[in-house]
Amino acid sequence: MTGTGTAPTGDPGRGTLDKATDENFPVAPFFLPRAWRDDLMAVYGFARLVDDIGDGDLAPGGADARLLGVSPAQAENRLLMLDAFEADLHRVFDSTPRHPLLRRLQPTVRRRALSPDPFLGLIAANRQDQLVSRYETYDDLVAYCELSANPVGRLVLAVTGTETPERVRRSDAICTALQIVEHLQDVAEDLGRDRIYLPAADMKRFHVQEADLAAKTTGASVRALVAYEAQRARDLLNEGAPLVGSVHGRLKLLLAGFVAGGRAAIHAIAAAEYDVLPGPPKPGRIQLLREAGLTLRGEG
C-alpha cells in the first residue's frame, strides 16, 4: 500500500504502515487522489500505532519507547506508553512531535484542520483495554466502539471534507459494525489477551461460559452466539450503508469498500458456520468485489 512516499531506510514507522494490507477494509486505495492517500495513511499510522501500544504488539527493541521519551525498560508499561503517546499527540497541535508517525500526521492535521478529539478517543479506547477486559451488555460494548472505532470514520469524513451530522451518524454505525466483526473474528486471540468482547448478558442468554471460548472446537452454543452478534453487525452496516449513496466519485468507492469489507467478513464467518475459534474466517477477493458491487448499487 502506497500513499506516504518512499520511507527512508530504517524508518521506524514503516512496519506500522505496512499493516494496512491486513485490514478488513481498504485504508488508502490507489484510486484516491494522492493528497487523500497521504492524509489517510497518516491517520492510519496513528491509529495502528496506538492499537499496537495498547495490545503490546510494538516491534521488539524499544525503538518506539525511546522515540516517545520512555526508557526501554518501561516499554512494557502500556499505560505509561499511552500517556507518553498522548503527550506527543499534543505536540502535533502546538510544537514538534517526537515520533515519526506523529510528525507524518502533523501536516495532515494542519491541512485538514483536524481537532484532537478523535485521536484522543482512540487513545482512551486503548487505555480502557488495559483496565476493562469484559463487557456486561451490548450497550457497554457500543460505548467502547464509540472510542475505539467511530473516530476513524469521522476522520475519513474530515480528511475528505464531507463531514455532516447525518454522515457522521451513518459512519458511526459502519465503524461500530466493523469493530464488532473484528471482535468476532478474533475471539480466540482476544481471549489469549484475557479480553472478551462478547457481551456477558448475551453469553448468559446463549448459555456460553468463558471456558467454551477456550475450547479447540466451537460448540453449538458459541456458534449461536456468534451468529447473533454477526446479525447485529449486519444490521448496523445496513443502517450505515446509505452513507455511500450520499457522496460521489472516488470517495463513494472508498466508503463502499468499508461497507463491503464488513459484509464480506460476515459472509466468511457465516460460511464457516460461525466456527471462529480455530482462527479468524477471512473473505476472499471475489467475495469482497461482489459485496462492493452490491453496496455501490444500494443492495446488500
Side-chain angles (χ1 to χ4, degrees), residues 7 39 75 89 104 150 167 191 237 248 251 257-258 269 282:
D39 289 339
L89 170 67
R104 193 186 298 259
N150 297 4
R167 285 176 178 150
L191 187 64
L237 285 173
H248 304 283
L251 178 58
F258 292 156
I269 291 170
K282 294 285 188 179

Side-chain angles (χ1 to χ4, degrees), residues 11 16 22 50 89 98 121 127 174 185 212 224 230 240 254 292 299-300:
D11 179 355
T16 301
D22 296 328
V50 73
L89 170 67
R98 295 172 174 172
R127 278 205 189 92
I174 293 168
Q185 290 176 310
D212 297 327
L254 177 68
E299 303 172 21

Side-chain angles (χ1 to χ4, degrees), residues 51-218:
D51 278 355
D52 286 349
I53 292 172
D55 290 340
D57 285 341
L58 292 173
D64 292 293
R66 284 191 292 271
L67 286 165
L68 295 172
V70 176
S71 74
Q74 295 180 299
E76 299 299 319
N77 185 330
R78 298 180 193 177
L79 287 171
L80 180 65
M81 287 286 291
L82 289 168
D83 287 346
F85 192 60
E86 181 173 329
D88 211 30
L89 170 67
H90 287 296
R91 295 185 192 100
V92 170
F93 293 87
D94 60 26
S95 58
T96 302
R98 295 172 174 172
H99 198 287
L101 288 176
L102 292 181
R103 290 200 297 271
R104 193 186 298 259
L105 178 65
Q106 192 169 47
T108 294
V109 164
R110 292 174 175 172
R111 184 162 47 243
R112 307 298 181 182
L114 303 180
S115 79
D117 292 346
F119 300 106
L120 291 170
L122 294 171
I123 293 173
N126 279 276
R127 278 205 189 92
Q128 187 165 314
D129 275 335
Q130 313 314 309
L131 305 171
V132 180
S133 60
R134 306 291 189 276
Y135 290 86
E136 182 61 31
T137 67
Y138 177 70
D139 286 345
D140 293 337
L141 182 65
V142 168
Y144 167 73
C145 293
E146 289 175 2
L147 297 173
S148 68
N150 297 4
V152 175
R154 294 181 179 213
L155 284 165
V156 170
L157 294 177
V159 162
T160 57
T162 54
E163 194 173 16
T164 68
E166 177 63 10
R167 285 176 178 150
V168 166
R169 186 180 74 80
R170 300 286 189 183
S171 171
D172 285 353
I174 293 168
C175 291
T176 292
L178 292 175
Q179 181 74 88
I180 291 172
V181 170
E182 183 177 330
H183 290 329
L184 296 179
Q185 290 176 310
D186 294 340
V187 169
E189 179 182 335
D190 289 335
L191 187 64
R193 303 180 192 273
D194 191 31
R195 297 177 188 167
I196 296 177
Y197 294 102
L198 298 166
D202 295 343
M203 290 176 63
K204 183 176 181 180
R205 174 181 175 182
F206 285 90
H207 308 289
V208 172
Q209 306 292 324
E210 289 194 14
D212 297 327
L213 304 180
K216 292 183 179 179
T217 57
T218 309

